[in-house]
Amino acid sequence: MFRFFKGQPSEYVIQYVGGKVKKQGPGIAFSYLRYKTSIVVVPTTSTDAMFVFHDMTRNFQEVAVQGQFTYRVNNPQVAASQLNFGVDLRDRTYLTTDPDMVPKRITNAIQAKVHDQIQARSLEESIRDSESIASEVIAAVSNHPTLAEIGVEIIAIHIQSIRPTPEVGKALEAEYRETLMRKADEAIYMRRASAVEEERKIKEKELATDVALEEQRRGLLELQGQNALQEAQQRSEAMAIEAESKANALKQELTAYQSIDPRLLAAMGFRDLAKQGADNLTITTEVLSALMGGKNS
C-alpha cells in the first residue's frame, strides 16, 4: 500500500528502500511502500540546549557551571551515519533516543574545555572571568573532533553563572561586604580629610590676607609717620628761618639805634606814648637817675 511523505524545509530527509538510499534532500516529498521503506529525518535548524555541571578550581574549590549553547547539524549525512534518526512512519516519532545524544555529546565536549579553563584559575578568577572562559571554550570546541564526527557545528556558548558552594558563597559575600564597608569608610575618611584640608587652606588664605592687610596698615602708618615727621621738620625749619629773619631784621634795626643818644631815644619813646593817648606816665627815680646819669656822662 502506497503512502505519501512530505518533509519540512528545515529537515534533511533520507529514504531507504531495501537498505539502500533511494532519495535524499531537504524537505523532499515522495510516495513509498510502508513495509519496504525506512525514512531518516535529520533536523537542520539551530537548537538551544542547557548544561549544568560541577568542577574544581585551581585552589581546590568546587564550583557549579551553568550555561547554554546553540548548535546546528551542518552535515546531516554524517549525522545520519553516526546516529539513528529513523522515524516511525505512523506518527513520525524517532525510533531511538539517538537524537538526544547530540546535545549530550556537545555538553561533554564543552565540559572538557571548561574544565581546562577552571583548572587554570582560582575561585575568584573563575567567578570573575565567566565571559572570557566562554570565549576560550567556544574557540576550542569549534574544532573539537567529536562535533565533526556527528556533523554538528557550534553557533554560540554562553556561561550564565559560575557559582561556589553555598558555604563558600556566604563567606565570599561576607568578605565582599566587609570590603565594601571598608571602602565606604575610606571614602568617608577621604571626604572628611579633604574637607579638613580645604578648611585649612581657607584659614591659611584668611590668615595670609590678614597678615597682608596688617603689613599694609603698618606700612601706611609708617608712611603717615614719615610724612608727619617731614612736615614737622619742614615747619620747624620754616619757623627757624622766619625767627632768624626777624632776629636779623631786629638786629639791624637796633644797630641803627646804637649811635643815637639814649636820652633822645627816651624822649622819642615818651612822644610815641603820648601819641598813643597814654593817660598816665610814671617816671621812677631809677629811670630819672639813669637819664640824668646818661647826661652826666
Side-chain angles (χ1 to χ4, degrees):
M1 181 177 179
F2 283 94
R3 293 190 177 184
F4 183 75
F5 183 91
K6 179 178 175 60
Q8 298 297 320
S10 60
E11 296 174 335
Y12 191 90
V13 180
I14 304 176
Q15 180 189 13
Y16 289 90
V17 177
K20 295 181 179 180
V21 177
K22 184 177 182 180
K23 290 183 180 180
Q24 62 179 334
I28 62 174
F30 51 87
S31 297
Y32 64 94
L33 288 173
R34 177 180 177 184
Y35 297 105
K36 290 184 177 181
T37 303
S38 298
I39 298 177
V40 170
V41 178
V42 181
T44 57
T45 57
S46 60
T47 305
D48 296 329
M50 303 290 295
F51 61 84
V52 177
F53 50 82
H54 293 78
D55 212 320
M56 195 73 68
T57 64
R58 184 181 62 194
N59 53 349
F60 307 103
Q61 296 297 319
E62 183 180 355
V63 292
V65 183
Q66 181 178 355
Q68 175 182 315
F69 62 90
T70 303
Y71 71 95
R72 185 178 71 88
V73 177
N74 64 341
N75 195 335
Q77 294 175 331
V78 172
S81 66
Q82 297 295 321
L83 299 170
N84 186 359
F85 284 90
V87 296
D88 189 334
L89 299 181
R90 291 172 298 181
D91 55 9
R92 296 185 64 167
T93 59
Y94 286 110
L95 298 173
T96 67
T97 59
D98 279 10
D100 297 333
M101 295 299 296
V102 174
K104 291 181 180 179
R105 292 189 180 183
I106 297 174
T107 299
N108 292 337
I110 291 175
Q111 184 174 2
K113 298 305 178 181
V114 170
H115 173 76
D116 295 339
Q117 297 295 323
I118 296 294
Q119 281 279 305
R121 289 173 169 84
S122 65
L123 174 61
E124 294 79 2
E125 293 171 344
S126 299
I127 296 174
R128 183 190 62 208
D129 299 342
S130 59
E131 293 185 3
S132 175
I133 292 174
S135 300
E136 296 288 340
V137 169
I138 191 172
V141 172
S142 297
N143 300 320
H144 200 282
T146 299
L147 273 66
E149 291 174 358
I150 58 177
V152 174
E153 66 174 348
I154 293 294
I155 298 175
I157 296 177
H158 302 284
I159 295 180
Q160 298 171 347
S161 66
I162 299 178
R163 296 182 180 179
T165 60
E167 296 78 9
V168 175
K170 290 181 180 179
L172 291 176
E173 289 176 2
E175 181 180 357
Y176 183 68
R177 192 181 303 110
E178 291 294 330
T179 301
L180 290 179
M181 294 177 63
R182 183 168 61 254
K183 289 183 177 179
D185 293 340
E186 291 176 355
I188 293 174
Y189 170 77
M190 292 300 295
R191 285 198 298 270
R192 290 179 178 176
S194 178
V196 171
E197 180 66 18
E198 292 298 326
E199 185 177 357
R200 183 187 65 80
K201 291 180 179 179
I202 292 173
K203 289 184 177 180
E204 287 182 352
K205 290 182 179 179
E206 291 178 348
L207 181 60
T209 302
D210 293 341
V211 171
L213 291 175
E214 184 64 24
E215 290 179 352
Q216 292 178 0
R217 189 181 68 83
R218 184 180 302 139
L220 180 60
L221 291 176
E222 291 178 354
L223 181 60
Q224 290 177 347
Q226 292 176 359
N227 291 338
L229 180 60
Q230 290 179 358
E231 291 178 357
Q233 291 176 351
Q234 291 174 358
R235 287 197 299 269
S236 176
E237 291 175 356
M239 291 175 63
I241 293 172
E242 183 180 1
E244 185 177 359
S245 299
K246 289 181 178 181
N248 291 332
L250 180 60
K251 183 178 180 181
Q252 292 178 2
E253 185 178 354
L254 293 176
T255 301
Y257 286 110
Q258 287 180 357
S259 60
I260 301 175
D261 188 351
R263 290 173 297 176
L264 179 57
L265 292 174
M268 292 172 61
F270 292 149
R271 186 192 62 186
D272 291 338
L273 290 174
K275 288 180 179 181
Q276 294 177 2
D279 296 335
N280 298 314
L281 178 62
T282 303
I283 300 174
T284 62
T285 55
E286 290 81 1
V287 175
L288 185 59
S289 176
L291 292 173
M292 293 301 293
K295 183 181 179 181
N296 292 330
S297 60

